[in-house]
Amino acid sequence: MNTLSGSIALLMLLGSVRCQGVDPTPVPVHALAQVTGGELRLFSGEDVQLRCSVPEDPLSSWRYQWFLNGVLTSSAEVYHLKNAHVLQTGSYTCQGEKDLKEWPYLISSLQSDLLNVHVDGGWVLLQAPTEPLIIEEVLTMTCRVRDDPLLVEVNFYKGDVKIRTQKKKDLVFPSATLDDQGTYWCKATWLQDFKYQSAQSLKFSVIVLDKLSSPVLTIDDGEVNPVKGSTVVLRCSTQLNTREKGHTIEYYYMNNATLLGPSSSKDTHTIQRVEDDDTGVYTCKARVRVLNLERWSNELKLKVEPSY
């Protein structure tokens, strides 16, 4: 059998497998990018170490690739930025790939979430949580000065307002609130070579999330004036933000404050063949019973139009 005939036979075999409904391709899994040394916000000349893994399939022999702003920059499980420079600032993601014994013989994981690395070439750097906080968690911000000299004064700002003057470099909020979300920066004064030096950091945004966001009630097709006899799907969109997994959100739907049936674990409520009495003001409530949390949505006015 010549090479061409062999190739045709292989393609026919693969086509036969697909036609029989057999798909040997594994379900895609996500890569995970983590910081295993240093900080995501660092001075130039310092080090940070990033590690890639595939936690959903840890026993396989994965190979890894790192991308900076979407461009391949390294092929390694651990990516070590030694003596980092400003041009290495950017968004890092990683991806795994492994060989298979069957078609398609090679598979890639889904890319990881972003790790945003900021390499600062200045004198003062504000280090703060790079991931969103959840209310009641501790919020710590650190105003660092290159080479750690003796600090004389540190000023912290939120927006254009000075919120604290102190000698310590750390500012701690023991229990963060939604009001603590915002843009922060700091200004430091220090003593070096018997001279006073002063500089300020770049601004940095701190995000604080509610445990359960206020729901947004919408209609799936966006039509708030449905024709009589049509189907309307209400959607109650919310977000549960907790470090623990497995909590269930209960949804309640109301028309003119009248409950439309029992609670549901679905974020949609369908009204089949709407009638005139379905006209009204709709709201929904999201509730997490075990956490004693509940939030109400906006009001949505729905008017059923006659069919002609």
Side-chain angles (χ1 to χ4, degrees):
M1 181 182 294
N2 59 36
T3 303
L4 178 59
S5 299
S7 299
I8 294 174
L10 177 59
L11 290 173
M12 291 178 63
L13 176 61
L14 293 176
S16 174
V17 170
R18 293 171 185 169
C19 290
Q20 294 173 18
V22 178
D23 185 0
T25 306
V27 176
V29 291
H30 281 88
L32 175 66
Q34 294 175 295
V35 182
T36 53
E39 300 285 344
L40 287 176
R41 294 179 61 80
L42 68 158
F43 283 120
S44 56
E46 295 181 333
D47 302 344
V48 62
Q49 182 174 284
L50 312 177
R51 180 177 181 271
C52 191
S53 63
V54 182
E56 298 170 81
D57 186 20
L59 300 181
S60 295
S61 299
W62 291 95
R63 300 182 298 273
Y64 300 98
Q65 295 177 321
W66 283 95
F67 301 86
L68 171 57
N69 299 327
V71 178
L72 179 64
T73 188
S74 175
S75 296
E77 178 182 357
V78 177
Y79 186 30
H80 197 174
L81 280 70
K82 296 182 178 180
N83 297 317
H85 53 81
V86 174
L87 293 179
Q88 290 176 306
T89 292
S91 298
Y92 287 80
T93 57
C94 73
Q95 187 175 32
E97 65 175 22
K98 67 175 180 179
D99 298 318
L100 300 176
K101 293 181 179 179
E102 299 178 344
W103 180 85
Y105 304 110
L106 179 69
I107 187 173
S108 297
S109 73
L110 300 175
Q111 284 203 356
S112 68
D113 291 336
L114 296 176
L115 285 180
N116 292 310
V117 175
H118 172 74
V119 183
D120 199 295
W123 282 96
V124 178
L125 170 66
L126 180 65
Q127 287 183 332
T130 56
E131 296 292 330
L133 288 172
I134 302 173
I135 59 170
E136 299 177 0
E137 292 183 334
V138 177
L139 167 58
T140 301
M141 290 180 285
T142 302
C143 189
R144 289 190 57 204
V145 178
R146 188 183 290 271
D147 301 328
D148 295 320
L150 178 64
L151 295 176
V152 176
E153 183 179 88
V154 178
N155 293 301
F156 288 90
Y157 296 81
K158 182 180 180 184
D160 295 326
V161 179
K162 184 190 298 185
I163 59 173
R164 187 74 60 86
T165 298
Q166 58 187 42
K167 289 188 176 182
K168 296 181 179 180
K169 63 181 180 180
D170 294 325
L171 178 61
V172 180
F173 295 88
S175 182
T177 69
L178 294 179
D179 290 337
D180 294 325
Q181 178 169 282
T183 302
Y184 292 84
W185 56 284
C186 66
K187 181 178 180 181
T189 301
W190 64 96
L191 191 62
Q192 189 172 24
D193 298 328
F194 303 103
K195 294 181 180 180
Y196 289 102
Q197 308 286 342
S198 184
Q200 67 185 51
S201 73
L202 296 175
K203 295 180 179 180
F204 181 73
S205 294
V206 172
I207 299 174
V208 181
L209 302 176
D210 199 352
K211 291 182 180 179
L212 183 65
S213 64
S214 296
V216 176
L217 183 62
T218 57
I219 297 177
D220 264 4
D221 62 5
E223 181 55 65
V224 294
N225 296 322
V227 176
K228 185 176 180 179
S230 61
T231 298
V232 171
V233 178
L234 299 172
R235 183 172 298 276
C236 189
S237 302
T238 186
Q239 180 68 45
L240 178 63
N241 302 300
T242 62
R243 304 302 179 192
E244 305 83 17
K245 303 298 182 181
H247 295 314
T248 300
I249 303 176
E250 300 174 356
Y251 297 92
Y252 300 81
Y253 297 86
M254 278 141 281
N255 179 10
N256 296 328
T258 300
L259 187 63
L260 303 177
S263 66
S264 171
S265 60
K266 296 182 179 180
D267 63 355
T268 58
H269 176 78
T270 302
I271 307 174
Q272 302 284 358
R273 300 184 61 82
V274 293
E275 300 292 340
D276 292 338
D277 57 4
D278 289 315
T279 292
V281 178
Y282 287 78
T283 54
C284 69
K285 180 177 74 172
R287 179 183 182 186
V288 182
R289 191 182 300 269
V290 70
L291 299 177
N292 195 29
L293 295 173
E294 66 177 40
R295 300 287 187 270
W296 288 88
S297 75
N298 56 297
E299 293 184 346
L300 182 65
K301 295 181 180 179
L302 186 147
K303 182 180 179 181
V304 178
E305 300 288 354
S307 57
Y308 297 99

